[in-house]
Structure formats: C-alpha cells, structure tokens
Amino acid sequence: MAKASPLTAETRRLLALAWPVMLTSLNWTILHVTDVVVVGLAGSHQVAALGASRTITFPGIVMGLGALTGILVHVARADGAKDLRETGRVLHEGVLLGLLLGLASFAILFGFAAPLLAGVGVAPGLIADTAPVVQVMALAYPFQLVTIATSFFLEGVSRPARVTVVNLAVLPINGVLAWALATGALGLPALGAVGAAAATAIASALGAIGMLAAAWTLPRAEARGVRDLADWGRAETWRGAWALARFGVIPAISSGLELVGFSILIALSTQLGEATAHAFQIVFSIHNVTFAIALGLGSAAGVRVGNAVGEGVPQAAAGRAGIAALLAACATGLLALALVFVPMLVVTPFPATGAVHMLASGMLLLWAPFILFDGVQVVFVYALRSLGDQVAAGVNGILAFFLVTGGLGLLLVQAGLGARALVLASGLGMVAAAVLNGGRLFVVTRRVRSRS
C-alpha cells in the first residue's frame, strides 16, 4: 500500500482530532438549543427571559473557558515532547484553577444578577423574571469550569473522544429535565426559563463527575500522574495554577468582551420587542451549531501547533494551521449554502409564532454568508495561542467582536435598521476577526520560519 503524503496524513490527523470536539461542541450547543425549544413551549416571554439571562451567563462561562486555554496549550506541548508526567501536573493545576474560577463566578452572578442585567441594557420589564434564571445558572459554574479544564487536558493528549462520550451521555438527561422542569411535565412544577437553568445545573454536575472519571481511567493515567492526588497538597500545584491563570488573562478578557459584543446584540433585541428577541435567539442558536464545527477544527489546530512546538519543529505550525483553516472554510461554506437555500426549513423546528419564524428566516438569510469567516478565524485564534501569541489574538478578538460587533450593533439599531442591524453587526465582526487574526498568524509563522 502506498504511503500517504504528508498533506493527506496531516489532514487525517486533524480530522481525527476535530470530529470528537465537533460532537462535543454540538452537544453543548444542542443543550442550549434544547433550552430554547422547551422554554418556547412556555411562551415568548420565557424565551426572552432565557435569552436575556445569557447576556451575562454566556460571557461569564466563555471568560472561564478563555482563562483555561493554557491547559490545552501546555498539555499539547508536553505531549509533543513525550513528557507524560508534565501533562498530569498541568491537569491538576487546571482543575484547581477551574474550581476556583467557578466558585468566584458563582458568587458574582448569584449575588449581583439584577444589577448586572441592568448594566448590560436588558429591558427593565424583563429583569425581575431574568434574575432568578441567572442565579440558578450560577450553580452550574463550578461544575462547568472543572469540566472544561478536564476536557482541555483530554484534547491536549489527543483523547477527545472521551470528552464526546461524557457529553453525549449527559445530553439526554439535560433534555428530559429541561422539558419537565420548564413545562411542568411529569408532575413537576412549570418553572419556565428557571426550570431549564436548573436542568443545566444538574446536568453540569453529572458532566463534571464523568469528565474526571474519563481522565482517571486513561490507559497511561499512572505514567501521566493523573492519579497522584499528592499533587493537590503541593505549593507547586498552586503556583502552576497561577501560571495558567496568567497565561489565560488576555484570552479570558478577550473572550468575555467578544461575548459582551454579542450580549449587546441580545440586549438590543429585547428592546426591539419580544418577537425580535425570540427570533434572534433562534438565529443565535443556529450560529452556535455552525460554530461548533469550526471549534472542532480550531481545537485540532491548537493541538497540532502545540505538538509542533513541543516536538521542536515550530516551523511546521504554519502548514498545520493552514490545512485546518482550509477544512474549516470548506465545512462552514457548505453550511452557509444550506442556510441560504432553506432558511425557513431550519428555523421552523423552533416552537414560535409564524411571525417569529418569518423574522428569524430573514435574519438567517442575511447572516449565513458570514459564517465562513467565523470558521476560519477560530482556527487562527487557536493556532496563535499555541504559538504563545495569545495576547495579540486576544486584542484582535476585542477589536472585532467587542468594538465592531457591539459598536456597530448600537449604531445600526439607532439608525433604524431594526433586526437587520443585529445580523450585520455580528457578521462584520466575523470578517474583521478573520482578517486580523489571519494577518497576525502570517506574520508570526513567517518569523518562526526565518529563525528555523
């Protein structure tokens, strides 16, 4: 049998790493889409409350995710260098950091839900119904951040399928609980958006237990030191957690501000009426599905670029990132074509009135072409982080999604564009991110090659 070319071999390696992360990301997305669907059965007001809660819960969890990105980078580098024990040490440091961040986030969201909602511009009439949703979601934060920390470790050691198995196992539990608690099925109280948040919190706790078990039972867990619980009592573990936190500061700030940009759009949608808020939640949920595909390839690119650094061949990073970007462009481009041709078919599964479906369909048609840029930019971001250039990637994200998306959203809504303003602001931010991060990656990889 003929030996595969380096291009083919690398493509296969990327796809092997990407597809489990895609499924994991889709699982996370489906979890949130399920919330929108089941809460939709309780009425548009409850969906608007759910959407308004995400103006502060989404940025919080994404900031936590950004703060923990150093786990993936350092584990991938150590794995590339064949330093198994170091991968286990990073896991312990990362789980500790995730737990501390989760507890801090819980305290902030639970204690200051209403002021935070008012601060981001949620319609005053929605705050009273939205604050309890935020407080219940706050319970999920410690579990979710421990889950993210452990999943980054598993992805970094090229075991993403274990992450997928755990998340797929939790998904139906969340779905049934959300349906029962939101609608009052199975004799439970009908809690609407609060019930969906409670279901997410319960599912998150189960997911954290499952993810830790997945790491504990790795074939070479002993060699990696995964089961060395003595690490938790060492000062080195706390110092390592602090080092991971320093690495993740800019990605966390960037990720948070990026989501604040989208949260501004969500808040603006509540000011345009409940129908627009509901329609935008549908479009935002569909966006999360398409983004999950790109995120899988972004994670794969991050692992392979990190491996290249650990292997001592950083000059290989450009080619690996380029292949991943091309794959992301192809995947998201095909999805964009599907959305352009059948937008109504995509939005109708979401329970809503005919007017909401028509509005969501029009918004989706305008937004679909932009997702190609969204797919490419996330690959560039992960590659830059693995090359140690997370600061520049973070600044680019702030410029693209906070200033361009958030700023344009405010300006275009004030200009009277209505629901179209939300979609255009989102899409143009994606274009800006692709251009800025692509340009930066070109500069960095050229510099690396010149030094090799």
Side-chain angles (χ1 to χ4, degrees):
M1 182 180 292
K3 186 178 179 180
S5 69
L7 174 62
T8 301
E10 184 60 33
T11 300
R12 289 175 178 170
R13 183 70 182 269
L14 284 165
L15 290 174
L17 291 170
W19 74 261
V21 180
M22 290 179 189
L23 289 179
T24 296
S25 301
L26 284 171
N27 173 85
W28 179 263
T29 300
I30 291 169
L31 183 148
H32 290 288
V33 171
T34 299
D35 288 348
V36 174
V37 171
V38 299
V39 174
L41 298 173
S44 288
H45 180 76
Q46 288 296 315
V47 176
L50 178 67
S53 74
R54 291 176 176 179
T55 61
I56 57 175
T57 59
F58 267 18
I61 201 67
V62 171
M63 284 188 72
L65 191 151
L68 298 171
T69 53
I71 301 169
L72 177 67
V73 172
H74 291 296
V75 169
R77 289 179 179 178
D79 208 47
K82 309 300 182 187
D83 187 351
L84 299 186
R85 185 64 185 88
E86 178 63 16
T87 64
R89 279 191 288 267
V90 176
L91 168 64
H92 296 155
E93 295 160 2
V95 170
L96 174 61
L97 177 60
L99 181 60
L100 294 174
L101 291 174
L103 291 172
S105 300
F106 161 76
I108 293 169
L109 289 174
F110 194 88
F112 304 98
L116 288 170
L117 290 166
V120 298
V122 170
L126 270 179
I127 291 177
D129 289 330
T130 304
V133 183
V134 173
Q135 290 175 320
V136 174
M137 272 300 299
L139 296 169
Y141 268 66
F143 302 114
Q144 289 185 344
L145 291 180
V146 167
T147 297
I148 290 169
T150 311
S151 65
F152 274 157
F153 162 76
L154 290 168
E155 291 169 20
V157 297
S158 300
R159 292 283 185 164
R162 288 182 167 240
V163 179
T164 303
V165 169
V166 173
N167 283 312
L168 289 179
V170 170
L171 180 62
I173 298 173
N174 177 81
V176 172
L177 286 174
W179 166 67
L181 291 170
T183 65
L186 305 179
L188 296 174
L191 301 176
V194 171
T200 299
I202 295 168
S204 297
L206 296 173
I209 295 170
M211 204 66 72
L212 289 169
W216 186 270
T217 57
L218 276 174
R220 291 193 286 178
E222 290 287 355
R224 294 184 185 278
V226 170
R227 301 171 187 169
D228 186 359
L229 300 182
D231 271 359
W232 293 95
R234 295 182 181 130
E236 290 84 354
T237 301
W238 289 80
R239 285 196 292 268
W242 176 240
L244 288 175
R246 291 200 307 272
F247 182 97
V249 166
I250 297 301
I253 295 172
S254 169
S255 298
L257 289 177
E258 289 174 22
L259 257 293
V260 167
F262 283 100
S263 294
I264 290 171
L265 300 186
I266 295 173
L268 289 170
S269 75
T270 69
Q271 297 174 13
L272 294 172
E274 287 189 355
T276 301
H278 193 167
F280 190 62
Q281 276 302 299
I282 292 174
V283 173
F284 194 65
S285 297
I286 295 168
H287 160 265
N288 290 340
V289 173
T290 63
F291 186 71
I293 304 299
L295 198 60
L297 287 161
S299 174
V303 171
R304 293 299 292 144
V305 171
N307 290 161
V309 174
E311 293 162 5
V313 287
Q315 64 273 19
R320 295 177 182 184
I323 296 170
L326 181 60
L327 292 171
C330 292
T332 53
L334 289 173
L335 289 171
L337 286 174
L339 295 177
V340 166
F341 284 112
V342 289
M344 184 59 77
L345 187 64
V346 176
V347 302
T348 48
F350 292 85
T353 64
V356 170
H357 282 152
M358 286 297 297
L359 186 56
S361 176
M363 294 167 72
L364 190 62
L365 185 64
L366 181 61
W367 170 80
F370 291 109
I371 67 172
L372 186 148
F373 298 95
D374 201 27
V376 171
Q377 68 87 18
V378 74
V379 169
F380 294 155
V381 168
Y382 272 80
L384 286 169
R385 288 174 179 172
S386 288
L387 286 167
D389 202 37
Q390 73 276 12
V391 173
V395 171
N396 289 340
I398 293 170
L399 292 173
F401 292 114
F402 180 62
L403 294 181
V404 175
T405 292
L408 274 180
L410 292 167
L411 291 174
L412 295 177
V413 167
Q414 290 176 359
L417 269 68
R420 288 178 299 164
L422 308 175
V423 179
L424 287 172
S426 169
L428 291 173
M430 296 172 187
V431 174
V435 172
L436 290 171
N437 286 315
R440 179 62 183 178
L441 184 60
F442 175 78
V443 170
V444 171
T445 53
R446 186 174 62 176
R447 186 185 304 154
V448 168
R449 286 196 299 268
S450 68
R451 292 174 179 173
S452 301

